[in-house]
Amino acid sequence: MNSIGINELRYMLQGLSMTLRLWVVSFFFGMIMGIILGIAKSNHKIKVFRWIAAAYIDMIRGIPLIVFILVGYFGANYLGSDIDLPRFGVASAVLSLYSAAYLGEIFRSGIESVHKNQWEAASALGFSYVQSLRYVIIPQAIRITIPSTIGFLIGLLKGTSMVIVISLTDLTTASRRIAEHTRMPFLVLGLAAMVYFVLNYPLTKLGEKLEEKYKIKKGSLT
Amino acid sequence: MDFIDLRYYVPLRHLDVFARGLLLTIRLVALSCTFGLALGIIGAFLKTSKNRILYIMSNAYVMFFRNTPLLVQIYFLYFALPTLNIDMSADNTALLALSLIFGAYATEIIRGGIEAVHNNFIEAGFSLGMNSLQVFRHIKLPLAMKAIAPPLSNQIILIVLSSAIVGQISGRDLLYEASLLDSRYFRSFEIYTVTALIYFLFAKVLSIIFYKLNKKIFRQEPPQRLSSTL
């Protein structure tokens, strides 16, 4: 039986670094695309935007993340050259697209939660659609969306473990391999669970505190 | 584009594999949601009790399953339980894991639903001379169920989507059957897009069914599904 030494810990740290990188990168790009999607889906002027955004969000939210990663990876390889595409890039891209759908729905809900009077007041003051969005609506909407966004951030960290299907070594995969190698599943997987917990629990508490503070009800629970 | 060579006849010729997988997923989700609901009721009861120890236990349970990835939980059960001489098949381990996680979410939902019953109604019941049991049965329970049903049905749909992970420990479900097909024919893109479509249609059908059910029984519009379980 092999024991846990510095090499095993280093392997798990590599996995953790992969997880964190995937998490941060996909959240960042997912936010950008999500804001655009949210604005598009709540657009009460151009129906096409609303329809396209709604179709995209609905489709992505109806399939499991693993299946989406597989579809994205094989699809990207299909359309690409004969060389294998870099897996971290594909994984981040797919996770970003996935986050964009959920964050888009969250932003749309936030934008539509802003009272209609704000739109009227803005247009009464002479703001165009884009200007009223930028200066009046979105600042208020962001405040409303913060608890749900934090909730999604937690879900995204848990979702980065799905990249095992395209053979990326994240923390979950690394600890599984170490657990099999050292035959100490309780310790190693427990350690991995603790790491995820330590990363997620403060976010959960922060989300609960902000939800209390702003008295904003989330739809369903994360 | 002459380099695109999609062969959709591969998955479409093997729709029976997908059908079998879908039935396995339905069975998995139905069983784990039933057990999970029982766990959730117990957990909600523990979490609202005055006993400090029971509260800490149920809170730890909920916090653990909500803050760690599903894959870690399933690996933990799959690899750690045999060391305690508990030998379960992969399917049963998957069932246990999904039940536990659904139980954790259900605990929160049920607890929230019970606490959402406005105090005025309860006081009105007491002032009409009902005792605690009658208040619970005639006032708290119906009103709580009305608050619980929409998020609970959302959660069931999320569990359907999360159940795809059980293939990682070779638990049999739709994605596992699809991956077996993939390992035979290597038409990965076509096979997985068909799998995605089946999951999507199944989730859509379920959400329509729940919507109609909730409207009819509880006269309740479901709230927006904002969050995700991953």
Side-chain angles (χ1 to χ4, degrees):
Chain A
M1 169 159 1
N2 307 296
S3 61
I4 298 186
I6 193 69
N7 286 325
E8 282 84 9
L9 283 177
R10 198 181 300 155
Y11 188 56
M12 283 178 68
L13 271 177
Q14 284 172 358
L16 178 61
S17 130
M18 170 75 72
T19 296
L20 289 176
R21 278 184 291 148
L22 279 170
W23 189 32
V24 167
V25 169
S26 13
F27 184 69
F28 178 70
F29 287 111
M31 273 287 263
I32 297 177
M33 292 191 281
I35 293 181
I36 298 175
L37 270 177
I39 294 176
K41 196 175 173 189
S42 68
N43 196 325
H44 48 73
K45 281 204 163 177
I46 307 180
K47 261 195 193 163
V48 185
F49 287 169
R50 217 164 49 218
W51 197 86
I52 296 179
Y56 174 77
I57 291 178
D58 213 19
M59 200 172 60
I60 303 293
R61 282 174 41 152
I63 67 181
L65 178 55
I66 329 165
V67 178
F68 188 51
I69 290 180
L70 287 167
V71 167
Y73 178 70
F74 289 115
N77 271 325
Y78 219 68
L79 299 171
S81 59
D82 286 324
I83 321 170
D84 255 341
L85 292 174
R87 287 173 308 191
F88 179 79
V90 173
S92 328
V94 171
L95 278 172
S96 311
L97 288 172
Y98 188 78
S99 318
Y102 282 86
L103 289 170
E105 184 62 22
I106 291 176
F107 280 121
R108 177 205 64 85
S109 166
I111 289 178
E112 288 186 357
S113 301
V114 177
H115 209 276
K116 286 290 181 278
N117 293 348
Q118 300 290 321
W119 287 99
E120 290 178 11
S123 80
L125 285 172
F127 284 100
S128 74
Y129 183 82
V130 176
Q131 284 172 325
S132 39
L133 258 187
R134 189 175 152 206
Y135 294 108
V136 178
I137 304 297
I138 288 189
Q140 300 184 50
I142 288 185
R143 183 176 152 266
I144 296 176
T145 61
I146 287 183
S148 295
T149 308
I150 292 181
F152 179 76
L153 198 55
I154 297 170
L156 186 60
L157 179 60
K158 299 193 291 183
T160 58
S161 56
M162 307 284 174
V163 295
I164 182 176
V165 293
I166 53 178
S167 332
L168 273 177
T169 308
D170 74 311
L171 178 59
T172 312
T173 319
S175 20
R176 173 203 164 154
R177 296 224 180 101
I178 301 293
E180 284 176 339
H181 177 70
T182 64
R183 313 229 195 99
M184 286 198 264
F186 267 110
L187 191 58
V188 180
L189 287 170
L191 183 61
M194 275 306 120
V195 172
Y196 280 112
F197 190 82
V198 158
L199 287 170
N200 271 334
Y201 186 71
L203 287 175
T204 306
K205 276 298 170 202
L206 180 65
E208 282 177 8
K209 197 176 69 140
L210 285 177
E211 206 179 317
E212 258 313 297
K213 186 177 167 194
Y214 294 137
K215 292 270 196 302
I216 295 155
K217 247 346 261 95
K218 290 200 284 186
S220 106
L221 299 151
T222 302
Chain B
M1 297 202 237
D2 52 329
F3 53 84
I4 293 221
D5 177 25
L6 286 177
R7 300 192 193 169
Y8 268 101
Y9 65 82
V10 172
L12 289 177
R13 214 192 275 162
H14 296 273
L15 279 179
D16 58 322
V17 174
F18 290 106
R20 189 168 63 231
L22 184 59
L23 282 175
L24 287 166
T25 295
I26 292 177
R27 172 187 170 271
L28 187 63
V29 167
L31 282 176
S32 53
C33 286
T34 314
F35 296 142
L37 193 57
L39 273 176
I41 295 176
I42 299 174
F45 181 65
L46 288 183
K47 212 168 175 201
T48 55
S49 84
K50 305 287 194 303
N51 194 332
R52 186 85 184 143
I53 298 181
L54 291 179
Y55 173 79
I56 291 179
M57 265 173 39
S58 62
N59 203 25
Y61 162 63
V62 170
M63 281 295 154
F64 175 73
F65 279 94
R66 274 176 52 172
N67 287 320
T68 52
L70 185 49
L71 197 51
V72 171
Q73 295 158 14
I74 282 190
Y75 279 156
F76 190 81
L77 289 175
Y78 188 63
F79 290 114
L81 284 184
T83 67
L84 300 173
N85 289 328
I86 303 175
D87 277 320
M88 292 197 297
S89 71
D91 288 330
N92 290 339
T93 316
L95 186 59
L96 178 64
L98 282 177
S99 311
L100 284 173
I101 194 166
F102 187 72
Y105 286 103
T107 302
E108 281 300 300
I109 293 175
I110 295 177
R111 183 190 62 86
I114 292 183
E115 286 179 3
V117 177
H118 209 268
N119 220 22
N120 293 350
F121 292 113
I122 304 174
E123 284 181 8
F126 279 120
S127 69
L128 283 173
M130 297 186 187
N131 61 31
S132 272
L133 191 63
Q134 283 173 320
V135 164
F136 183 77
R137 198 182 133 213
H138 294 286
I139 298 181
K140 264 197 192 168
L141 201 56
L143 288 175
M145 290 214 296
K146 190 170 172 187
I148 288 170
L152 204 64
S153 19
N154 270 346
Q155 200 59 48
I156 294 178
I157 296 177
L158 294 176
I159 288 285
V160 167
L161 298 185
S162 308
S163 71
I165 199 73
V166 304
Q168 297 304 313
I169 56 168
S170 37
R172 288 155 38 93
D173 76 320
L174 175 59
L175 186 57
Y176 182 70
E177 298 284 335
S179 63
L180 287 183
L181 200 64
D182 174 40
S183 66
R184 267 162 55 197
Y185 292 101
F186 287 106
R187 306 306 302 187
S188 312
F189 182 65
E190 295 89 328
I191 290 175
Y192 288 124
T193 36
V194 170
T195 313
L197 186 66
I198 295 180
Y199 269 112
F200 175 72
L201 289 175
F202 183 54
K204 256 295 175 223
V205 164
L206 258 191
S207 73
I208 292 178
I209 293 178
F210 281 135
Y211 182 77
K212 291 249 152 68
L213 266 180
N214 283 336
K215 241 184 157 182
K216 185 140 191 254
I217 300 182
F218 298 110
R219 281 167 298 259
Q220 178 88 357
E221 299 286 324
Q224 291 293 330
R225 180 161 66 99
L226 285 182
S227 57
S228 70
T229 21
L230 288 169

